């Protein structure tokens, strides 16, 4: 066995070309600089104008998402008007204290935010793509002498803000309508006098 191994080693030394053919050629290990590769790619894209085009497209997408956010899903135009109530009370999960250690609420207590901060403005949810709902929103604003926060579930809040010369909001991802349990629009959210709950009216626009 030792003799055979010696012969193989001797052959590798004596015949390097033969050894290279069997073992395969060897190459130096090289690893491209990732940052340099990215910079080269960006320079190439800048040179052929592709980088500028991508920047314009990104700006346009951002502008569109601000001017016209994605509509809230799962909301329909009111077919059957209904009135229901929402109790915002919640159970305190752990003691709430002030910086100096004074306990404001203890774990397990039921707290109603309306006891501390009443709803000073009505909330009106509507779809701008429906002219009847836009007209209804204008009527609601007039009825309550502007003490209303108009909130879109679909449409262009900035464009309507410019048109009405007052702030128009958008219910991003439908967080508010889901929180209140609103399923149909237009819908008006109000706090009745001396009540610790919110009244919600899903109404027809016409």
């Amino acid at each position: 066995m030792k003799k055979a191994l010696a012969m193989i080693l001797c052959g590798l030394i004596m015949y390097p070309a033969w050894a290279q053919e069997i073992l395969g050629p060897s190459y130096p290990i090289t690893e491209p600089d990732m940052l340099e590769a990215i910079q080269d790619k960006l320079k190439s894209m800048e040179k052929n104008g592709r980088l500028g085009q991508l920047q314009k497209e990104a700006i346009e997408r951002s502008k569109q998402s601000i001017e016209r956010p994605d509509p809230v899903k799962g909301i329909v135009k009111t077919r059957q008007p209904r009135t229901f109530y929402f109790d915002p009370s919640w159970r305190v999960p752990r003691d709430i204290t002030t910086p100096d250690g004074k306990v404001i609420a203890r774990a397990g207590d039921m707290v109603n935010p309306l006891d501390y901060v009443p709803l000073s403005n009505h909330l009106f949810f509507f779809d701008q793509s429906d002219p009847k709902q836009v007209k209804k929103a204008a009527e609601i604003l007039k009825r309550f002498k502007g003490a209303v926060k108009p909130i879109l579930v679909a449409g262009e809040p900035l464009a309507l803000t410019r048109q009405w010369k007052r702030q128009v909001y958008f219910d991003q991802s439908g967080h508010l309508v889901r929180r209140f349990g609103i399923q149909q629009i237009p819908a008006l959210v109000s706090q009745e006098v001396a009540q610790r709950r919110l009244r919600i009216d899903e109404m027809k626009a016409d």
Side-chain angles (χ1 to χ4, degrees), residues 122-126 136-137 140 148-151 186-188 203:
H122 301 272
L123 308 178
F124 190 73
F125 296 84
F126 65 108
K136 189 70 172 181
I140 293 292
V148 178
K149 287 188 176 181
I151 305 173
L188 179 67
M203 61 187 71

Side-chain angles (χ1 to χ4, degrees), residues 61-81:
R61 284 195 300 271
S62 298
K63 182 180 178 181
Q64 286 296 324
S65 67
I66 294 173
E67 288 283 349
R68 193 178 184 86
D70 292 335
V72 176
K73 297 180 180 179
I75 301 296
V76 299
K77 186 185 301 185
T78 300
R79 300 189 184 95
Q80 182 64 45

Side-chain angles (χ1 to χ4, degrees), residues 2-203:
K2 291 182 179 180
K3 185 177 181 181
L5 181 58
M7 291 177 64
I8 292 174
L9 292 175
C10 182
L12 291 176
I13 295 172
M14 296 297 293
Y15 301 98
W18 173 78
Q20 185 176 15
E21 183 178 348
I22 294 178
L23 301 177
S26 60
Y27 301 96
I29 298 175
T30 60
E31 184 174 337
D33 187 312
M34 184 63 70
L35 182 58
E36 184 177 337
I38 293 174
Q39 290 176 338
D40 289 343
K41 181 65 174 178
L42 289 175
K43 288 179 181 178
S44 175
M45 293 174 66
E46 184 177 18
K47 188 175 181 179
N48 62 28
R50 180 57 178 161
L51 182 60
Q53 181 62 31
L54 289 175
Q55 290 174 332
K56 289 180 181 179
E57 291 174 359
I59 292 173
E60 184 60 27
R61 284 195 300 271
S62 298
K63 182 180 178 181
Q64 286 296 324
S65 67
I66 294 173
E67 288 283 349
R68 193 178 184 86
D70 292 335
V72 176
K73 297 180 180 179
I75 301 296
V76 299
K77 186 185 301 185
T78 300
R79 300 189 184 95
Q80 182 64 45
R82 67 166 180 155
T83 296
F84 61 99
Y85 294 88
F86 173 76
D87 182 357
S89 298
W90 62 289
R91 190 176 299 280
V92 179
R94 63 183 66 85
D95 289 354
I96 300 176
T97 60
T98 60
D100 60 2
K102 182 180 179 181
V103 177
I104 300 175
R106 297 190 180 280
D109 288 350
M110 290 297 295
V111 176
N112 189 324
L114 296 176
D115 291 336
Y116 305 93
V117 184
L119 186 67
S120 57
N121 287 283
H122 301 272
L123 308 178
F124 190 73
F125 296 84
F126 65 108
D127 181 350
Q128 187 188 5
S129 65
D130 182 355
K132 291 182 179 180
Q133 292 191 39
V134 176
K135 182 180 179 181
K136 189 70 172 181
E139 292 174 357
I140 293 292
L141 283 166
K142 184 177 180 180
R143 182 195 306 175
F144 293 107
K145 299 179 180 179
V148 178
K149 287 188 176 181
I151 305 173
L152 291 175
V153 297
E156 302 178 11
L158 296 184
L160 197 55
T161 292
R162 291 189 288 266
Q163 179 183 338
W164 283 359
K165 294 181 173 57
R166 63 166 297 146
Q167 182 67 55
V168 176
Y169 301 88
F170 194 96
D171 186 12
Q172 293 283 356
S173 302
H175 292 302
L176 290 176
V177 292
R178 283 199 297 271
R179 173 66 173 159
F180 293 137
I182 295 173
Q183 300 175 358
Q184 304 177 110
I185 52 170
L188 179 67
V189 179
S190 310
Q191 181 181 0
E192 297 178 331
V193 178
Q195 292 294 319
R196 302 174 68 249
R197 61 182 183 176
L198 299 177
R199 171 175 170 157
I200 301 173
D201 294 289
E202 295 177 344
M203 61 187 71

